Amino acid sequence: MSQWSSGYNVDVGYTYGFYRELSPNWLDYVATVQGVSSPKGNARFLELGCGYGLGLVLLAGMHPDYEFLGIDFNPVHIAHGRKLVAEAGLTNVRFEEADFVDLAQGWPQAWGLFDYVTAHGTYTWLGKSVREAMVQTIKHATKPGAIVYLSYNTLPGWTSTQPVQHLLRLWQTTEETQSIKAISQGINRFKVLADANSGMTQALPTLNTRIEDMEKHDRSYLVHEYLHDNWHPLWFSQLADEISAAKLAHVGSASVGDLYLQAVLPPAQKDILAQYEDPVVREVMVDVLVNQTFRKDVFVRGKTPMWPADQKDAILDTAFVLMNRPKDEEFTFKLSAGEVSGKTDVYKPLLEALDTGPKTIRDLMSAPFPSPRTLGDTLQAMTFMLHAGFVGLHSPIAKKKPAKALNRAIVKSVAQGAPYNYLIAPEIGNVLQVKDTDMIMLHEVLNNPATKDANKLGQKLVTRLLILGKGLVQEGQALRDNNSMVPYAVKLAEGFLETTFENWKKLGVI
Ligand SMILES: C[S@@+](CC[C@H](N)C(=O)[O-])C[C@H]1O[C@@H](n2cnc3c(N)ncnc32)[C@H](O)[C@@H]1O
């Protein structure tokens, strides 16, 4: 463990993620549904513990008029963020290497104050004194009315995983095992414990599911999940108490389907909840009823209510765009309480209305549906579809140049082997999750328009994949050499040129 990281594992960098919940429009949506005012105008956005910064850079590309700052104490992360910014030529985002412990002592005046402050997956992996420093940092950095987003491991859901974290870390520190190896070795050791029917495995029935789940995850993610000195899932009440030092009040869940969690609980559970009045205790009791493991919460520094008519107008003006159709038209929504099924005759017409383009809630309410809809019903239905990713918030980007420049820089890096999976779709103001093969093909076509031919492009794709030491997988079968890869790559190129490329042009990706 290093001398500078206060027990946080810095053996390996984190993953290159994008989390839609950190987008200003998503945070504003939560605030609006909950009747809380959110920042107005060209805002300033801060991410604490920004990791490699890919997510922040994507947000900056989508909001050229906003100003973004990413902070992390790991120089590997900051150097990566700065490199990507330079390659994309973005001027509205920068990264600073800084430790919350130092920032708590004094916030650099030149950095100014922020309208949005986010910290995804950081808080409950820090020791108490560093958490206190992070809260002080938030206090120093936020404007009155600022929106703050925190996601963190929660109790009671993580209770049964406590032995996993403790044993993984114990084995690693005593045997001085390198972090990635410690994860693989640890997973095997838990399987051996299960096979031998250990008392712990019997007493904790969800342990095996957790281990099976770990096997599917990226190893760098697992290092950052488990291999720190500190790992403290918190009750919502504990977290609310700790962050009250930064004058933060709870707004609601950024896992937006959960904004309606209390409404979908079974009657016996609703009766239990009805016995508790205090809002913090109610949140805790919901976590108990659903055995919550991870919370994504939105807070505000100074809860200014929206006046009811303003809230209604803001909801009516909220626009949605079709993103991914549900498979087999099954409208199921995975909430913290489990799966909730939606009635096809309620959801299908709403989705069909989006076939002809983005629609506001106002449009969706006045569309000719079989049954009348209330504002509340429509909002709940659209919130569930937003949660499921069937629709996205529609906020097209006026100045598209920075987003397109970033997309070019991203595909160029992917062609060089960067593990990025996201591009901006400026026409709808959303981030698309995309395959590396499609990004490589886009890079080739942008570089040389003569490759806009499936045979040429397929061959180019294979050449590039082989340089990167990668193969292709066709129907579960691994293809590793030029001859076996080319016919399949040509098929991929046909699909890319006919559909994906044209679609990306419409979405303003290129
Ligand atoms: C689990 S990662 C989350 C990264 C990013 N937010 C994401 O979700 O992709 C936590 C981040 O917090 C940073 N971090 C941990 N302790 C810190 C401290 N004391 N000061 C600043 N950054 C810290 C780590 O370097 C790491 O990048």
Side-chain angles (χ1 to χ4, degrees):
M1 191 56 64
S2 80
Q3 297 293 316
W4 53 268
S5 68
S6 309
Y8 192 90
N9 189 315
V10 289
D11 286 0
V12 289
Y14 194 51
T15 52
Y16 298 82
F18 172 79
Y19 307 97
R20 58 186 185 167
E21 295 83 359
L22 273 64
S23 307
N25 64 352
W26 192 281
L27 296 170
D28 291 349
Y29 185 82
V30 175
T32 301
V33 173
Q34 298 296 85
V36 176
S37 291
S38 50
K40 298 279 168 288
N42 294 338
R44 303 192 75 235
F45 188 108
L46 170 68
E47 184 174 5
L48 298 172
C50 58
Y52 281 120
L54 177 66
L56 193 72
V57 172
L58 287 162
L59 289 178
M62 285 196 285
H63 299 89
D65 293 328
Y66 284 25
E67 210 184 313
F68 294 82
L69 172 63
I71 286 174
D72 201 291
F73 72 169
N74 190 338
V76 173
H77 290 161
I78 295 303
H80 173 270
R82 286 182 176 176
K83 179 169 171 276
L84 186 55
V85 170
E87 285 165 356
L90 295 178
T91 53
N92 62 332
V93 51
R94 61 179 223 280
F95 289 92
E96 295 290 348
E97 180 187 326
D99 192 318
F100 305 140
V101 175
D102 300 325
L103 294 174
Q105 302 305 315
W107 178 253
Q109 238 185 349
W111 293 0
L113 300 181
F114 289 83
D115 304 281
Y116 296 92
V117 177
T118 61
H120 181 78
T122 301
Y123 195 77
T124 46
W125 290 263
L126 307 175
K128 192 165 192 312
S129 62
V130 185
R131 291 206 304 275
E132 280 166 4
M134 191 168 150
V135 173
Q136 281 308 308
T137 304
I138 294 173
K139 187 175 171 194
H140 293 330
T142 40
K143 292 180 189 173
I147 294 281
V148 176
Y149 165 93
L150 296 175
S151 62
Y152 51 96
N153 279 349
T154 314
L155 293 173
W158 275 98
T159 311
S160 61
T161 313
Q162 202 274 342
V164 176
Q165 196 276 336
H166 183 79
L167 291 173
L168 284 177
R169 192 78 185 119
L170 178 72
W171 295 329
Q172 181 189 23
T173 48
T174 49
E175 296 164 19
E176 297 183 13
T177 318
Q178 187 269 341
S179 291
I180 299 279
K181 189 171 167 207
I183 290 289
S184 305
Q185 201 175 57
I187 291 174
N188 288 337
R189 287 176 174 180
F190 276 102
K191 284 202 226 153
V192 171
L193 283 169
D195 289 345
N197 232 352
S198 81
M200 179 181 74
T201 320
Q202 289 177 58
L204 299 172
T206 53
L207 203 59
N208 280 341
T209 328
R210 176 69 67 195
I211 301 298
E212 278 164 24
D213 189 51
M214 282 173 74
E215 286 205 279
K216 291 181 221 143
H217 267 99
D218 177 284
R219 295 296 184 254
S220 298
Y221 157 77
L222 292 172
V223 169
H224 280 257
E225 177 63 73
Y226 292 106
L227 294 186
H228 307 296
D229 284 353
N230 292 292
W231 190 83
H232 306 282
L234 294 175
W235 291 96
F236 174 76
S237 49
Q238 294 173 308
L239 179 115
D241 184 45
E242 289 186 12
I243 62 166
S244 66
K247 306 184 182 178
L248 300 182
H250 188 230
V251 176
S253 176
S255 204
V256 288
D258 281 358
L259 291 170
Y260 295 94
L261 199 52
Q262 300 189 13
V264 301
L265 292 173
Q269 297 194 357
K270 277 189 188 147
D271 289 346
I272 292 176
L273 202 56
Q275 295 164 27
Y276 303 92
E277 276 175 22
D278 181 274
V280 172
V281 178
R282 280 176 70 85
E283 287 294 321
V284 169
M285 291 313 296
V286 173
D287 288 347
V288 168
L289 292 169
V290 305
N291 197 32
Q292 188 73 266
T293 52
F294 189 67
R295 288 185 63 116
K296 300 173 183 174
D297 276 316
V298 181
F299 299 89
V300 65
R301 178 169 180 157
K303 205 171 189 172
T304 308
M306 290 179 96
W307 305 129
D310 287 337
Q311 185 195 16
K312 188 174 173 191
D313 285 343
I315 291 172
L316 286 168
D317 290 340
T318 302
F320 297 88
V321 61
L322 185 63
M323 297 289 283
N324 301 300
R325 286 190 170 282
K327 273 193 195 125
D328 306 325
E329 307 223 315
E330 267 189 37
F331 293 93
T332 45
F333 307 103
K334 283 188 189 137
L335 309 185
S336 296
E339 264 189 15
V340 175
S341 294
K343 288 188 188 141
T344 308
D345 59 346
V346 170
Y347 287 91
K348 200 174 161 194
L350 288 169
L351 216 55
E352 278 171 353
L354 297 178
D355 271 340
T356 51
K359 299 278 178 304
T360 61
I361 294 251
R362 194 187 304 275
D363 301 329
L364 293 167
M365 283 185 67
S366 56
F369 297 131
S371 55
R373 295 168 189 281
T374 65
L375 179 60
D377 292 342
T378 314
L379 181 64
Q380 178 170 334
M382 294 313 292
T383 303
F384 280 170
M385 291 211 281
L386 183 64
H387 182 93
F390 303 156
V391 303
L393 292 169
H394 181 244
S395 33
I397 302 167
K399 295 178 192 161
K400 301 182 177 60
K401 258 189 169 176
K404 289 186 187 215
L406 175 59
N407 285 343
R408 275 181 178 260
I410 287 177
V411 295
K412 187 174 174 199
S413 297
V414 171
Q416 296 299 112
Y420 307 150
N421 288 111
Y422 304 97
L423 290 174
I424 300 176
E427 292 300 338
I428 54 173
N430 278 277
V431 163
L432 307 176
Q433 190 158 13
V434 296
K435 288 187 273 195
D436 61 346
T437 45
D438 285 347
M439 292 224 235
I440 292 173
M441 287 192 276
L442 177 59
H443 172 69
E444 296 294 352
V445 171
L446 292 176
N447 241 4
N448 178 6
T451 50
K452 249 188 106 191
D453 162 277
N455 287 317
K456 284 184 195 161
L457 190 56
Q459 181 60 65
K460 282 267 178 200
L461 173 63
V462 172
T463 308
R464 176 58 51 185
L465 288 172
L466 289 173
I467 291 172
L468 299 176
K470 291 183 178 180
L472 285 169
V473 179
Q474 184 178 20
E475 289 165 17
Q477 197 194 336
L479 312 174
R480 293 239 150 249
D481 60 80
N482 186 75
N483 289 350
S484 63
M485 284 163 80
V486 167
Y488 183 49
V490 170
K491 265 193 183 175
L492 292 179
E494 278 166 5
F496 174 77
L497 291 172
E498 269 167 33
T499 317
T500 311
F501 186 74
E502 294 307 317
N503 196 23
W504 283 1
K505 270 206 298 199
K506 272 190 230 142
L507 294 174
V509 172
I510 307 156

